[in-house]
């Protein structure tokens, strides 16, 4: 931890000075919506499955806590911290297990948070994050695939609940609204990646298409005959107050001693989940595609995550941790790009966009957190209450499909489904001599995803972090016995660069050396590309799919 602080401290002042850049403004606005909209959807899910224990204010406050602590103190301030799909599953599974015991749920969750805080600190002090060197794209893609399907499942569950307390007309209108939100929001992402319209218009549609879609369809259901249909909307509570009639401080001492120690195994499972989930979010947010110049610090950030976990337990709010896909979205939104021309004869005259550098700073994360805090005010809660649940279901579907679109498992499946004669010769998978190696790799990944997803559908769902953790030794020990080193170098890859991984001793199978890192420069030429624009382009689209 000390080395993390020592490496990052010299950059702390520049983390604030470097925020004087245009990219920070659209990144802040984009991340506010990218963070708050899924949080609202998760609050609806937990509200329904925990007997109104968690609502909008609890989820928003958890996002604020994560944003403020990590933007001010973290060694990796680009990582967006908030409420995730896996922690939602964890919370309502614990609720289902404990409701028959009549144990005070919030006090029990508080002790889970306090135990987990201590375990986080032990892991941070003992340099347990050095194990991150063994986490590759194999594990990350499986976990990302799982998160994407959690989003899709949540959307279906929201629509299913419309039949429980509403009329059939209301339920069917919710389905139509959800599908329309999916079509329009997903189309905005496609347009942003296309050659349609001017670059600035494409960027605007890509960056703000989803929140504008949510706003439009929240009003759309009040047009014509639809306004007479009583739609279920997002439930809210009083401003800055918990959903239930309680104080923000949990009376954690009002619980039997036996339940205090019963919370310990749940805390171990929570810590395993956060160790993987948060660190994977950090790795992807600092992936090899981003030319970062400031050092990372995984040990110190794990210690901070323990602090926020303990505080969240005391406040009775969901435990926040690193968000996928919001964390890499944040880094992508801060990328400064330039256009280059491909000099290859087959692609003569083709223009592509490459990342020149990333605006590494703390302001955008802090600002989106403070905006989220303002959302807990009375007027904005009234506005949030107007959002139909069908719109939130459509948002779940959109996030799930976008997460699947850029996932490594999906890309390999699409490669296998393509006509071999029409597949680009530049695709690295074409270099593999054994096509069966790709099939086997994808089958193993889908098996890992299936095991993780299957266990979350049972009462043993709190144990799914163990399945996720087992993916690491499977990759490092078992896979090299079947796949050759050359095949694994193509099928799999380190998540982050050796520069980023210096904090944990480098990547698995690679020497950590700063000499391996080459920073992009204005005069750099790579792979037959020639720079055709000397001016740095600002305002390129943000929402790259993960």
């Amino acid at each position: 931890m000390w080395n993390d602080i020592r490496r990052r401290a010299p950059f702390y002042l520049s983390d604030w000075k470097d925020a004087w850049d245009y990219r920070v403004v659209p990144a802040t606005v984009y991340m506010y919506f990218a963070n708050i909209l899924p949080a609202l959807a998760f609050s609806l899910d937990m509200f329904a499955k925990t007997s109104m224990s968690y609502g909008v204010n609890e989820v928003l406050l958890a996002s604020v806590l994560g944003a403020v602590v990590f933007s001010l103190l973290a060694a990796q301030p680009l990582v967006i911290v908030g409420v995730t799909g896996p922690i939602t599953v964890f919370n309502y599974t614990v609720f289902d297990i404990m409701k028959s015991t009549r144990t005070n749920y919030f006090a029990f969750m508080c002790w889970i948070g306090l135990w987990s805080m201590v375990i986080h600190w032990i892991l941070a002090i003992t340099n347990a994050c050095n194990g991150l060197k063994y986490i590759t794209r194999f594990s990350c893609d499986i976990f990302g695939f799982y998160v994407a399907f959690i989003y899709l499942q949540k959307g279906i569950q929201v629509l299913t609940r419309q039949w429980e307390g509403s009329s059939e007309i209301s339920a069917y209108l919710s389905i139509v609204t959800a599908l329309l939100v999916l079509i329009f929001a997903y189309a905005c992402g496609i347009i942003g990646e296309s050659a349609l319209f001017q670059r600035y218009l494409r960027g605007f549609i890509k960056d703000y298409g989803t929140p504008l879609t949510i706003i439009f369809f929240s009003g759309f259901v009040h047009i014509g005959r639809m306004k007479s249909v009583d739609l279920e909307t997002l439930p809210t509570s009083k401003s800055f107050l918990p959903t239930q009639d309680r104080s923000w401080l949990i009376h954690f001492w009002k619980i039997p001693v036996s339940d205090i120690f019963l919370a310990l195994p749940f805390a171990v499972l929570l810590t395993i989940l956060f160790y993987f989930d948060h660190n994977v979010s950090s790795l992807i947010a600092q992936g090899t595609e981003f030319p970062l110049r400031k050092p990372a610090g995984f040990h110190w950030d794990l210690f901070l995550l323990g602090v926020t976990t303990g505080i969240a337990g005391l406040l009775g709010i969901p435990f926040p941790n690193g968000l996928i896909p919001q964390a890499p979205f944040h880094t992508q939104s801060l990328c400064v790009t330039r256009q280059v021309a491909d000099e290859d004869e087959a692609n003569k005259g083709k223009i592509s966009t490459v990342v020149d550098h990333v605006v590494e700073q703390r302001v955008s994360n802090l600002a989106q957190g403070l905006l989220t805090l303002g959302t807990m005010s009375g007027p904005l809660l009234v506005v949030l209450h107007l959002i139909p649940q069908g719109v939130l279901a459509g948002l779940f579907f959109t996030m799930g499909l976008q997460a699947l679109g850029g996932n490594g498992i999906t890309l390999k499946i699409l490669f296998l489904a393509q006509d071999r004669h029409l597949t680009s010769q530049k695709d690295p998978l074409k270099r593999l001599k054994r096509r069966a190696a790709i099939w086997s790799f994808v089958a193993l990944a889908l098996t890992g995803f299936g095991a993780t997803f299957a266990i979350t559908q049972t009462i043993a769902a709190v144990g799914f972090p163990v399945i996720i953790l087992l993916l690491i030794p499977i990759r490092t020990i078992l896979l090299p016995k079947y796949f050759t080193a050359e095949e694994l170098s193509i099928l799999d890859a380190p998540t982050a660069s050796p520069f980023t991984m210096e904090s944990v001793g480098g990547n698995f199978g690679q020497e950590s050396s700063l000499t391996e890192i080459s920073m992009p420069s204005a005069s750099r030429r790579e792979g037959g590309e020639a720079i055709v624009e000397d001016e740095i382009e600002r305002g390129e689209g943000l929402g790259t799919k993960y």
Side-chain angles (χ1 to χ4, degrees), residues 41-64:
F42 286 132
S43 74
L44 173 63
D45 192 47
M46 285 191 287
F47 183 85
K49 293 189 174 184
T50 61
S51 295
M52 300 181 290
S53 298
Y54 297 115
V56 170
N57 283 353
E58 283 83 1
V59 174
L60 292 179
L61 186 58
S63 298
V64 173

Side-chain angles (χ1 to χ4, degrees), residues 3-249:
N3 287 334
D4 286 349
I5 296 171
R6 181 175 56 83
R7 277 192 296 265
R8 187 71 193 200
F11 297 91
Y12 191 78
L13 186 59
S14 68
D15 284 341
W16 299 100
K17 289 183 178 179
D18 292 346
W20 190 253
D21 189 288
Y22 166 73
R23 291 305 315 146
V24 174
V25 177
T28 299
V29 176
Y30 175 73
M31 288 317 305
Y32 168 69
F33 285 109
N35 192 7
I36 193 176
L37 292 177
L40 295 175
F42 286 132
S43 74
L44 173 63
D45 192 47
M46 285 191 287
F47 183 85
K49 293 189 174 184
T50 61
S51 295
M52 300 181 290
S53 298
Y54 297 115
V56 170
N57 283 353
E58 283 83 1
V59 174
L60 292 179
L61 186 58
S63 298
V64 173
L65 172 64
V68 172
V69 171
F70 277 81
S71 63
L72 294 176
L73 302 175
Q76 300 163 131
L78 295 181
V79 179
I80 299 296
V81 177
V83 178
T84 65
I87 195 59
T88 303
V89 174
F90 181 88
N91 284 347
Y92 66 65
T93 303
V94 173
F95 181 85
D96 290 339
I97 293 173
M98 300 305 297
K99 65 182 177 182
S100 62
T101 66
R102 297 185 179 181
T103 297
N104 185 318
Y105 175 66
F106 283 114
F108 189 76
M109 291 299 292
C110 179
W111 277 105
I112 291 177
L114 294 176
W115 280 118
S116 183
M117 175 181 68
V118 174
I119 301 172
H120 273 83
W121 289 353
I122 293 173
L123 293 177
I125 293 170
T126 57
N127 297 329
C129 283
N130 285 344
L132 296 180
K133 68 175 70 176
Y134 301 106
I135 296 179
T136 63
R137 291 284 181 182
F138 174 75
S139 305
C140 294
D141 284 341
I142 293 174
F143 187 69
F145 210 75
Y146 162 74
V147 171
F149 269 83
I150 286 293
Y151 286 144
L152 296 176
Q153 183 190 37
K154 296 305 177 189
I156 294 172
Q157 290 174 346
V158 169
L159 293 179
T160 302
R161 287 197 294 267
Q162 302 309 303
W163 267 271
E164 296 177 2
S166 305
S167 64
E168 283 196 3
I169 296 176
S170 173
Y172 281 117
L173 180 56
S174 295
I175 292 176
V176 172
T177 305
L179 293 176
L180 288 173
V181 169
L182 169 61
I183 292 170
F184 278 81
Y186 197 77
C188 288
I190 294 175
I191 291 173
E193 299 284 353
S194 71
L196 294 174
F197 313 121
Q198 294 295 320
R199 179 173 61 86
Y200 295 104
L201 181 57
R202 287 199 309 271
F204 179 83
I205 293 173
K206 187 175 182 180
D207 298 345
Y208 307 111
T210 298
L212 289 176
T213 299
I214 300 298
I215 294 171
F216 174 79
F217 282 100
S218 294
F220 174 78
V221 295
H222 298 288
I223 298 175
R225 295 184 179 180
M226 290 185 290
K227 65 182 178 182
S228 62
V229 179
D230 185 20
L231 285 174
E232 294 286 336
T233 59
L234 178 69
T236 57
S237 57
K238 295 181 180 179
S239 59
F240 300 107
L241 291 177
T243 302
Q244 292 189 350
D245 185 17
R246 64 175 180 87
S247 67
W248 279 116
L249 178 64

Side-chain angles (χ1 to χ4, degrees), residues 448-504:
F449 153 72
T452 307
F453 190 79
I455 196 174
T456 57
Q457 309 308 305
T458 68
I459 195 66
V462 289
F464 79 91
V466 177
I467 304 295
I468 295 171
L469 193 65
L470 288 175
L471 297 174
I472 301 174
I474 288 174
R475 166 60 183 89
T476 56
I477 299 174
L478 298 183
L479 263 61
K481 295 182 182 297
Y482 177 77
F483 300 96
T484 66
E486 181 184 1
E487 288 172 341
L488 285 176
S489 67
I490 297 173
L491 291 168
D492 196 17
T495 306
S497 69
F499 173 71
T500 299
M501 299 298 286
E502 183 189 6
S503 170
V504 295

Side-chain angles (χ1 to χ4, degrees), residues 282-424:
S282 301
L283 288 170
I284 298 175
Q286 301 170 106
T288 52
E289 66 270 32
F290 302 122
L292 302 176
R293 293 177 168 86
K294 297 180 180 180
F298 294 92
H299 308 284
W300 171 246
D301 280 14
L302 187 66
F303 181 87
L304 281 184
L305 188 63
V307 174
T308 56
T309 302
I311 294 175
L314 292 171
L315 295 176
I317 60 179
F319 307 117
N321 74 298
L323 296 176
I324 298 175
Q326 288 91 332
F329 279 2
H330 184 218
T331 308
Q332 177 64 32
S333 69
L334 293 166
C335 288
V336 176
T337 61
R338 67 169 62 248
Q339 288 187 330
V340 298
D342 196 332
E343 291 185 340
D344 185 75
E345 288 298 326
N347 299 302
K348 194 77 171 180
K350 184 179 178 181
I351 303 296
S352 59
T353 302
V354 296
V355 178
D356 184 86
H357 67 276
V358 179
V359 183
E360 300 176 61
Q361 42 72 50
R362 298 175 182 270
V363 171
S364 56
N365 197 351
L366 177 62
Q368 67 87 18
L370 295 178
L371 288 173
T372 303
L373 179 63
T375 310
M376 295 174 64
S377 62
L380 289 179
L381 286 177
V382 171
V383 173
L384 294 181
H385 184 61
L386 298 175
I387 302 177
Q389 293 187 12
V391 170
L392 295 176
L395 175 64
F396 270 133
F397 293 147
T398 303
M399 292 176 58
L401 288 181
Q402 287 181 341
L404 283 176
N407 189 276
I409 298 175
T410 308
L411 297 177
K412 290 180 178 66
I413 293 174
L414 291 176
F415 173 84
L416 292 170
Q418 287 176 354
D419 187 328
R420 298 189 186 189
H421 301 94
L422 299 178
T423 303
S424 172

